[in-house]
Amino acid sequence: MRPVNSVVTMLVLLVLSPFPFLAFVNVSRAVAGHGFEPIIDNVVSYLLLFLIFSAAAMTTGLYHAWRPRSRNVPAYAFAGATGSTALMSAADLVDSYFSTPGVGWVWPLAGFALGFAFGGVFRTARNGFTFR
């Protein structure tokens, strides 16, 4: 069977990546007795997560174009983390400018975790879900 194109894999992963996070948040709220999030909150959250994963997809794609023969999953994970961490750090700097001073660590850490997962899952999918 012929492997799927890298661009198709990247786009499918980009569109589907926010759903596990949204499902986790909604189920945890429902279990806590608060009910599900309103649909508009889910749409806005999806769009924001889509932006974060887009930054991870751009840096993962650049790394893939630069080193297409590398099958190193952690290298792709760190490549994905680079873009989303940079985006979330910039968002944190803008947030700290308009609100109380001080740069936090939660936003960049969340960006790092989401981008790391995106890059790692992309490379694992390109490897055929086997670790080589």
Side-chain angles (χ1 to χ4, degrees):
M1 182 160 87
R2 200 173 70 135
V4 179
N5 188 347
S6 297
V7 175
V8 172
T9 305
M10 183 82 67
L11 290 176
V12 167
L13 187 60
L14 180 60
V15 170
L16 296 179
S17 290
F19 287 118
F21 184 75
L22 291 174
F24 172 76
V25 168
N26 277 304
V27 169
S28 64
R29 277 182 53 88
V31 168
H34 300 293
F36 290 108
E37 288 278 336
I39 190 67
I40 192 66
D41 288 351
N42 284 323
V43 170
V44 170
S45 297
Y46 178 84
L47 293 175
L48 291 174
L49 286 169
F50 187 81
L51 286 175
I52 296 167
F53 285 119
S54 295
M58 285 189 286
T59 54
T60 303
L62 287 172
Y63 183 77
H64 184 68
W66 178 57
R67 284 214 51 129
R69 290 188 174 85
S70 172
R71 292 178 177 235
N72 191 355
V73 174
Y76 275 83
F78 280 111
T82 303
S84 57
T85 303
L87 176 72
M88 294 300 277
S89 296
D92 192 36
L93 287 172
V94 169
D95 179 54
S96 67
Y97 178 77
F98 289 110
S99 63
T100 59
V103 177
W105 55 271
V106 174
W107 286 28
L109 183 64
F112 180 85
L114 293 173
F116 191 87
F118 183 88
V121 169
F122 170 75
R123 185 66 251 178
T124 305
R126 292 294 302 146
N127 286 347
F129 291 103
T130 58
F131 293 99
R132 300 181 210 175

